[in-house]
């Protein structure tokens, strides 16, 4: 059973780690900018995973000269641009819920690419799965509350969706050539270089490492040093989930993987509910159920575009 559904298992585990990380990121962002956090995540993950991979399987890191442009594109658009588009959206005042909904339209762009560019068959059930999952996310996020529109912010979120589609498609295609570890090393290395060009590393706000950060919510009586929370974000919020997700994409189609990835906002809401005592309404619970149904249908759908 596990071998048969190993891809789905990896993607769900990755979504759980990403979702848990959402709460920790919220705490850290009270003390540093989103762009600096993206920088330290990318660089920290790259150096740690590069060391591990170099010791275990250094040959998997090698790339021919003709592969370099593809890997650079993968790192910039599959990693850095997803975060940049997301940050532009929230920095322009677009509600986080709406930014997430737009970002998770990525499965739509993936199946459109598969159908009209690759000229491959997409199962009808996949369209149903995507529609249900998006509807469920809309209910979970309650986007009609505090709705506001900003053209630049909305385009930023749409850019994140397109970049996320690139991430899933290229993780699948490139995953046949090298290990999941090597894929993440290349992606994070290029993303870290991108952020270092945008934000010089010598201006990094190092004071965050010794800042005591309140854990809020159910743990408001406790605090932790910034270095510990950032280390958590790097290891358990970035390195571990990316390895699981890339490993899952290598075993499933990009379209199915992207729909399963829609589980992340639902789980993030659940962890915020548990940790930060944020309440959920009946309609949000119903939305979460619809997302699960959509994911089930996507997993059952058979497509020739893998």
């Amino acid at each position: 059973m596990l071998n048969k559904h190993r891809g789905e298992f990896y993607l769900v585990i990755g979504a759980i780690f990403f979702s848990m990380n959402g709460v920790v990121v919220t705490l850290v962002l009270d003390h540093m900018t989103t762009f600096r956090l993206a920088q330290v995540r990318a660089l920290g993950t790259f150096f740690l995973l590069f060391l591990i991979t170099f010791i275990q399987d250094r040959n998997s890191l090698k790339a021919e000269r003709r592969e370099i442009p593809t890997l650079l594109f993968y790192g910039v658009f599959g990693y850095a641009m997803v975060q940049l588009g997301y940050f532009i959206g929230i920095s322009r005042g677009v509600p986080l819920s709406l930014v997430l909904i737009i970002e998770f339209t990525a499965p739509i762009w993936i199946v459109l690419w598969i159908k009209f560019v690759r000229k491959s068959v997409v199962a009808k059930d996949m369209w149903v799965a995507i529609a249900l999952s998006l509807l469920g996310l809309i209910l979970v996020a309650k986007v009609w509350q505090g709705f506001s529109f900003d053209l630049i912010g909305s385009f930023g979120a749409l850019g994140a969706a397109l970049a996320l589609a690139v991430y899933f498609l290229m993780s699948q295609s490139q995953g046949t050539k090298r290990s999941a570890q090597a894929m993440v090393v290349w992606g994070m290395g290029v993303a870290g270089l991108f952020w270092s060009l945008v934000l010089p590393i010598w201006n990094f706000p190092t004071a965050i490492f010794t800042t005591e950060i309140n854990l809020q919510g159910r743990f408001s009586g406790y605090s932790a040093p910034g270095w510990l929370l950032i280390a958590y974000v790097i290891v358990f919020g970035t390195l571990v989930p990316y390895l699981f997700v890339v490993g899952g994409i290598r075993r499933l189609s990009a379209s199915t993987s992207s729909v399963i990835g829609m589980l992340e906002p639902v789980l993030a809401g659940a962890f915020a509910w548990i940790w930060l005592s944020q309440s959920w309404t009946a309609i949000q619970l119903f939305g979460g159920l619809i997302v699960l149904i959509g994911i089930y249908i996507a997993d059952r759908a058979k497509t020739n575009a893998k």
Side-chain angles (χ1 to χ4, degrees):
M1 177 66 72
L2 179 58
N3 287 332
K4 182 179 179 181
H5 297 286
R6 187 178 296 274
E8 293 91 338
F9 176 76
Y10 283 175
L11 288 164
V12 171
I13 294 297
I16 291 173
F17 274 99
F18 273 135
S19 303
M20 292 175 62
N21 184 58
V23 177
V24 180
V25 165
T26 300
L27 303 178
V28 175
L29 288 180
D30 286 339
H31 302 272
M32 68 186 306
T33 67
T34 51
F35 298 102
R36 283 297 187 184
L37 181 58
Q39 181 182 46
V40 74
R41 284 181 69 180
L43 290 175
T45 302
F46 166 72
F47 284 114
L48 181 59
L49 191 57
F50 174 82
L51 180 61
I52 295 172
T53 308
F54 186 80
I55 294 173
Q56 292 182 343
D57 183 19
R58 67 188 64 181
N59 289 330
S60 66
L61 296 172
K62 295 179 179 179
E64 298 179 10
R65 181 175 298 180
R66 59 182 176 82
E67 295 179 294
I68 299 299
T70 300
L71 291 170
L72 290 175
F73 184 88
Y74 174 66
V76 171
F77 286 90
Y79 287 75
M81 290 297 105
V82 175
Q83 296 175 324
L84 180 60
Y86 171 83
F87 293 152
I88 289 174
I90 60 176
S91 67
R92 294 287 299 187
V94 179
L96 176 60
S97 57
L98 182 57
V99 171
L100 289 175
I101 295 300
I102 296 175
E103 180 180 339
F104 278 93
T105 60
I108 297 176
W109 307 112
I110 290 173
V111 294
L112 288 174
W113 174 271
I114 291 172
K115 183 174 179 63
F116 295 107
V117 178
R118 288 186 181 173
K119 305 296 184 181
S120 299
V121 176
V122 177
K124 292 182 179 179
D125 285 352
M126 184 60 68
W127 296 101
V128 175
I130 293 172
L132 282 176
S133 297
L134 279 175
L135 173 61
L137 288 183
I138 289 172
L139 297 178
V140 169
K142 295 195 296 185
V143 296
W144 57 87
Q145 292 187 357
F147 179 85
S148 62
F149 178 81
D150 178 86
L151 184 61
I152 296 177
S154 297
F155 272 117
L158 179 60
L162 296 174
L164 189 60
V166 168
Y167 165 74
F168 278 105
L169 289 167
M170 292 194 70
S171 292
Q172 179 189 349
S173 62
Q174 292 297 307
T176 60
K177 303 176 182 179
R178 50 184 47 85
S179 67
Q181 286 185 208
M183 291 290 295
V184 177
V185 168
W186 272 99
M188 285 297 174
V190 174
L193 177 62
F194 170 84
W195 288 116
S196 295
L197 292 175
V198 175
L199 301 169
I201 192 66
W202 53 83
N203 291 331
F204 190 86
T206 55
I208 181 66
F209 294 123
T210 56
T211 299
E212 288 293 321
I213 299 176
N214 186 270
L215 299 183
Q216 302 182 23
R218 297 181 185 277
F219 306 102
S220 59
Y222 302 91
S223 61
W227 69 264
L228 181 61
L229 295 183
I230 290 175
Y232 178 92
V233 169
I234 291 173
V235 178
F236 297 105
T238 308
L239 189 156
V240 172
Y242 265 112
L243 287 177
F244 273 113
V245 170
V246 172
I249 296 171
R250 285 156 53 90
R251 291 167 171 80
L252 299 173
S253 68
S255 53
T256 300
S257 300
S258 63
V259 176
I260 295 177
M262 295 169 115
L263 183 64
E264 183 184 332
V266 179
L267 292 175
F271 284 118
W273 181 15
I274 296 170
W275 187 325
L276 302 177
S277 301
Q278 296 179 0
S279 61
W280 269 35
T281 64
I283 196 168
Q284 287 177 294
L285 293 173
F286 180 63
L289 177 61
I290 293 178
V291 172
L292 294 177
I293 294 173
I295 290 173
Y296 174 78
I297 294 174
D299 190 46
R300 298 274 297 180
K302 302 299 181 182
T303 176
N304 295 327
K306 288 192 176 183

